[in-house]
Amino acid sequence: SQKIEQNSEALNIQEGKTATLTCNYTNYSPAYLQWYRQDPGRGPVFLLLIRENEKEKRKERLKVTFDTTLKQSLFHITASQPADSATYLCALELGSGYSTLTFGKGTMLLVSP
Amino acid sequence: GAVVSQHPSRVICKSGTSVKIECRSLDFQATTMFWYRQFPKQSLMLMATSNEGSKATYEQGVEKDKFLINHASLTLSTLTVTSAHPEDSSFYICSARDWAEAEKLFFGSGTQLSVL
């Protein structure tokens, strides 16, 4: 069966450090992968999308890598801040068009001052 | 980015009553909207895909007679939880795509439903 795995344990880091979150998937060949941020009691907010032919994507302090051989994406937040504390979800879509997104459970990031 | 408005944000109801949740795309037209449910510390689970002017497509295991979806216009989709029971208590979130940014999903702020 198709599966998306994110570390279920919360990641605790100190302010200023780089946070690295992992998303592994099996039995998919996604055309692209997305990362979302979700705050408690709120809907997810889109952060970044990376396509299968891209190895790395950056946006301000965010960086995403995508290794289709390892079936893994890494999500980095550099110079982390307490305001970055949230749950980060990865999501996959199977192909082009408007097929539905499947989400991982998310990893909670806690950045302490 | 596009804005999706969802109301109410929180509702408490008695068992056996029906609850309607509204999802609106504020600055774009959404021919397709998606309804998700999320239990604490769990992933978003797609319940159904709502298509403007036609019947919704429900995911396996989701009762279409219990979760009524209506997408009567290009900016409004509603989810009605009929005869709600405590096990229906959950966080319900709608989302939509803006054709201009078709790959992204824009989410509403969610509705926390508590059935007593």
Side-chain angles (χ1 to χ4, degrees), chain A residues 32 34 36 38 41-46 49 51 89 93 97-106, chain B residues 32 34 36 38 41-44 46 49 59 91 93 97 99 102-110:
Chain A
Y32 47 79
Q34 302 184 36
Y36 289 76
Q38 186 175 22
R42 308 289 294 177
V45 175
F46 172 83
L49 178 152
R51 300 182 189 282
L89 310 170
E93 195 153 13
Y98 303 108
S99 56
T100 55
L101 276 180
T102 301
F103 286 83
K105 288 186 181 180
Chain B
T32 302
F34 305 92
Y36 288 85
Q38 186 178 35
K41 298 190 178 180
Q42 297 297 313
S43 60
L44 293 159
L46 180 68
T49 301
E59 295 299 301
F91 191 56
I93 318 174
R97 280 193 161 102
W99 288 99
E103 293 147 338
K104 304 174 190 174
L105 277 184
F106 295 95
F107 284 87
S109 54

Side-chain angles (χ1 to χ4, degrees), chain A:
Chain A
S1 63
Q2 299 161 338
K3 204 171 173 184
I4 301 172
E5 290 182 349
Q6 293 186 258
N7 195 339
S8 58
E9 291 183 12
L11 177 63
N12 288 273
I13 63 168
Q14 273 199 311
E15 183 175 10
K17 301 290 185 185
T18 296
T20 299
L21 307 176
T22 305
C23 175
N24 294 297
Y25 59 94
T26 59
N27 300 331
Y28 277 116
S29 293
Y32 47 79
L33 183 147
Q34 302 184 36
W35 282 89
Y36 289 76
R37 168 183 171 143
Q38 186 175 22
D39 291 283
R42 308 289 294 177
V45 175
F46 172 83
L47 295 176
L48 279 169
L49 178 152
I50 186 164
R51 300 182 189 282
E52 60 180 342
N53 61 348
E54 297 175 315
K55 291 212 181 297
E56 184 179 296
K57 198 82 165 282
R58 290 175 186 261
K59 178 183 175 184
E60 297 172 355
R61 293 184 297 112
L62 308 181
K63 185 179 87 171
V64 172
T65 63
F66 193 13
D67 188 325
T68 55
T69 302
L70 289 179
K71 294 187 181 296
Q72 181 182 78
S73 175
L74 298 179
F75 177 80
H76 306 273
I77 305 176
T78 58
S80 59
Q81 304 166 0
D84 295 326
S85 298
T87 296
Y88 292 87
L89 310 170
C90 74
L92 295 180
E93 195 153 13
L94 293 180
S96 60
Y98 303 108
S99 56
T100 55
L101 276 180
T102 301
F103 286 83
K105 288 186 181 180
T107 299
M108 182 183 291
L109 172 66
L110 298 170
V111 182
S112 51

Side-chain angles (χ1 to χ4, degrees), chain B residues 23-93:
Chain B
C23 181
R24 294 180 185 273
S25 56
L26 294 188
D27 49 359
F28 67 102
Q29 293 183 332
T31 55
T32 302
M33 289 186 175
F34 305 92
W35 287 95
Y36 288 85
R37 183 162 65 177
Q38 186 178 35
F39 292 105
K41 298 190 178 180
Q42 297 297 313
S43 60
L44 293 159
M45 297 300 299
L46 180 68
M47 298 175 66
T49 301
S50 168
N51 301 297
E52 186 267 336
S54 64
K55 290 183 180 180
T57 303
Y58 290 82
E59 295 299 301
Q60 193 173 10
V62 178
E63 299 174 59
K64 56 185 175 185
D65 293 333
K66 179 162 189 66
F67 298 100
L68 298 179
I69 291 172
N70 185 283
H71 194 156
S73 77
L74 286 171
T75 58
L76 174 64
S77 175
T78 60
L79 168 68
T80 301
V81 183
T82 62
S83 186
H85 290 286
E87 58 265 29
D88 299 324
S89 299
S90 186
F91 191 56
Y92 293 86
I93 318 174

